[in-house]
Amino acid sequence: MAEKRAKTPISGARQDKQYENILEEMHSADRKSVFQNALQQFDDAAQHLNLSSDQIAMIQQPRRVIEVKLPIRMDDGNIKVFKGYRVQHNIARGPAKGGVRFHPQVDLDEVKALSFWMTFKCAVVGIPMGGGKGGVICDPSEMSQSEMERLARRYFAEMIDIFGPDRDVPAPDVNTNPQVMAWFLDTYSMHKGDYTPAVVTGKPLELGGSEGRVTATAQGVTFTILQAVDRLGMKLDGATVAIQGFGNAGSNAAVLLKGHGAVIKAISDVSGGFVSTDPAGIDPQVALDHIKQNRTLKGFENNPAAKVSKYNNANDLLTEEVDILVPAALENQITEKNAGQVKAKIIAEAANGPCTPEADAILAKNGVFLIPDILCNAGGVTVSYLEWVQNRMGYYWDAEHIFMDLKRYMDNAFSAVYQTSTKFEVNMRTAAFIVAIERVTRAAEMRGLYA
Ligand code: GLU
């Protein structure tokens, strides 16, 4: 132990370098640039608008990119140096807004793309916020709670002047949760000397969090699916659903969709994909109980209450015979390789960036109705905005009020995007970008950001 404690930050940095090299190899092998995909989506929409090249340059590229080294004392006494990012993509319509992700696959390209999507997501739902996103390269499944706490606090402390209720307001994302937001809030408040709940959203209720924030993303996903089935003359009651990813968005969507009578035919997480052997489908509560005991869905096929078999390849879930497919995991899942085999009539993007532009073209050709991420999963940031409003006025609404407001935002956004898709004869993704780009450009122009 004493020997381990003697290790210097330099050896930690070397480990970090090695780790980075492995990650870099992993990325170049199987990941197309997510930011390139995002820019492609923008270009597909921008061609329908009369934008100058200066305007395009102004709103395509991030305004600010920050990278920090985060040396953390691990429980075994070693120091490990992590890397963290924050990208503020655009602040024309309000302070930067967006989550912080803790994941081994985080990289700058991804954080840029995610912050880009936040700008347009906030614009689509019409909340007065810009776009930002953060990420730390780490593997929370291998970290203790106290290591996570030190990492979260160090990240926030390094960025203390970047964040602020009127500057940049983070929130949870993949592998971060209300507890991490509580550490962010405490770190900020200790540095500033004032209790400042509005500096982060997605906080625990006890610290000024909002009713309904935990299930907000899934609620929004469900509202948009209800709109889509209605437009397509389908019914959610009895419709079959496959959900990729069983984190906050995926698991809560399973519960809510089942509540509307949908049959959850297949689910997956990092441990694999599982398809129901029961016509009534998977009970999300059984899956949640399994995760509570085992951390993941590992061994779910052997759980007698589950009634599922395991796919040989978890990606088979994406091409399962279902009415609705909900990708709720990471980017680049539906690509030119598997898009042609998708059988779902509706894809509801609970994740950010799950479909590549090549996949979009194939899906559109095959008549799949796509609810794009910047619309579909905007429920999370919408309730984040409502949380920020409550923090600033010091008065708190009940869950009923929150969900009523959220439904109004989501239904209005869906209608605006749907009408635009009909008017311009484009798919829902391009329509969502048309609506959002117009709003961001107008705000930027009025502020004189091109002056
Ligand atoms: N991380 C979520 C997203 O991608 C929520 C962001 C927020 O609430 O600011 O939309």
Side-chain angles (χ1 to χ4, degrees):
M1 193 64 191
E3 195 191 27
K4 273 190 173 172
R5 280 199 186 283
K7 276 195 178 173
T8 63
I10 295 175
S11 66
R14 272 200 207 113
Q15 282 172 9
D16 187 40
K17 186 71 210 145
Q18 235 178 12
Y19 187 51
E20 272 173 29
N21 289 344
I22 295 168
L23 287 173
E24 255 160 42
E25 264 172 42
M26 220 168 81
H27 286 179
S28 52
D30 65 3
R31 284 182 98 211
K32 206 183 143 220
S33 161
V34 197
F35 190 46
Q36 284 302 325
N37 287 347
L39 296 181
Q40 177 69 56
Q41 295 169 347
F42 181 98
D43 289 340
D44 289 346
Q47 61 174 311
H48 296 276
L49 301 166
N50 224 353
L51 299 182
S52 71
S53 54
D54 285 349
Q55 279 175 316
I56 291 177
M58 179 76 197
I59 45 175
Q60 264 196 331
Q61 295 299 324
R63 173 180 178 264
R64 216 183 217 182
V65 174
I66 300 119
E67 177 183 317
V68 288
K69 286 274 177 198
L70 306 166
I72 304 300
R73 175 85 58 194
M74 305 305 278
D75 291 347
D76 66 4
N78 285 325
I79 285 177
K80 195 168 160 151
V81 185
F82 294 86
K83 195 189 268 185
Y85 301 102
R86 185 72 183 172
V87 176
Q88 295 174 340
H89 177 262
N90 190 289
I91 54 155
R93 301 180 62 260
K97 185 83 194 81
V100 179
R101 174 175 295 198
F102 284 8
H103 196 276
Q105 282 190 10
V106 162
D107 63 17
L108 184 56
D109 177 82
E110 182 191 48
V111 182
K112 275 186 183 173
L114 292 165
S115 71
F116 170 97
W117 284 317
M118 287 310 303
T119 298
F120 300 105
K121 192 184 297 188
C122 293
V124 166
V125 276
I127 57 170
M129 300 264 172
K133 198 81 173 202
V136 178
I137 307 170
C138 65
D139 187 352
S141 70
E142 292 186 346
M143 292 170 71
S144 70
Q145 179 86 343
S146 55
E147 287 168 343
M148 283 281 280
E149 175 170 356
R150 289 193 287 278
L151 185 58
R153 288 185 181 280
R154 186 75 193 204
Y155 174 81
F156 221 76
E158 281 296 335
M159 307 259 190
I160 207 81
D161 292 322
I162 300 298
F163 295 127
D166 290 309
R167 289 184 183 177
D168 185 346
V169 186
D173 197 74
V174 175
N175 291 333
T176 54
N177 57 20
Q179 176 60 75
V180 175
M181 299 308 114
W183 293 325
F184 284 170
L185 159 64
D186 184 63
T187 305
Y188 188 84
S189 298
M190 300 245 296
H191 273 79
K192 298 285 175 187
D194 288 323
Y195 182 62
T196 318
V199 71
V200 286
T201 60
K203 299 178 290 290
L205 278 177
E206 294 82 347
L207 295 174
S210 177
E211 290 288 350
R213 178 62 187 85
V214 173
T215 59
T217 307
Q219 282 285 357
V221 169
T222 307
F223 288 145
T224 60
I225 290 176
L226 282 167
Q227 288 281 348
V229 292
D230 198 37
R231 301 283 210 274
L232 298 177
M234 295 165 57
K235 273 205 167 74
L236 190 47
D237 192 7
T240 49
V241 182
I243 303 177
Q244 183 201 35
F246 218 67
N248 174 279
S251 64
N252 284 305
V255 172
L256 292 168
L257 292 169
K258 185 172 158 55
H260 283 276
V263 176
I264 311 302
K265 188 163 176 191
I267 60 173
S268 69
D269 75 355
V270 281
S271 64
F274 306 88
V275 58
S276 181
T277 52
D278 179 352
I282 296 167
D283 183 344
Q285 202 46 57
V286 172
L288 285 168
D289 291 345
H290 188 94
I291 289 174
K292 212 176 210 172
Q293 291 192 350
N294 305 282
R295 243 178 125 141
T296 67
L297 288 171
K298 194 166 191 307
F300 197 44
E301 72 277 22
N302 303 320
N303 181 336
K307 292 184 230 144
V308 293
S309 59
K310 188 172 179 183
Y311 287 114
N312 288 334
N313 182 343
N315 285 343
D316 291 348
L317 174 144
L318 299 168
T319 52
E320 182 59 68
E321 191 86 48
V322 285
D323 298 310
I324 303 168
L325 174 62
V326 184
L330 297 173
E331 308 87 37
N332 289 0
Q333 299 302 304
I334 303 171
T335 66
E336 75 269 29
K337 290 197 192 120
N338 56 3
Q341 285 113 57
V342 167
K343 300 179 191 70
K345 299 179 193 75
I346 296 174
I347 296 183
E349 292 187 325
N352 293 306
C355 298
T356 63
E358 295 79 13
D360 272 5
I362 297 167
L363 296 169
K365 203 172 84 209
N366 292 347
V368 179
F369 187 89
L370 182 111
I371 314 173
D373 46 9
I374 60 170
L375 169 65
C376 187
N377 71 35
V381 75
T382 301
V383 176
S384 274
Y385 162 61
L386 298 176
E387 179 175 330
W388 179 83
V389 169
Q390 293 170 87
N391 293 152
R392 309 198 82 183
M393 66 178 174
Y395 178 79
Y396 289 82
W397 294 310
D398 60 18
E400 201 188 331
H401 180 108
I402 297 289
F403 289 131
M404 204 180 63
D405 252 13
L406 173 62
K407 184 166 172 9
R408 185 169 47 81
Y409 275 104
M410 297 305 298
D411 287 353
N412 286 345
F414 191 97
S415 296
V417 173
Y418 191 80
Q419 274 166 22
T420 305
S421 86
T422 318
K423 183 174 154 198
F424 287 83
E425 296 178 354
V426 292
N427 67 20
M428 289 284 282
R429 176 160 354 260
T430 301
F433 271 99
I434 290 176
V435 169
I437 292 170
E438 273 188 327
R439 291 179 180 168
V440 175
T441 313
R442 234 179 298 141
E445 247 164 24
M446 284 173 182
R447 285 181 63 160
L449 291 181
Y450 307 124

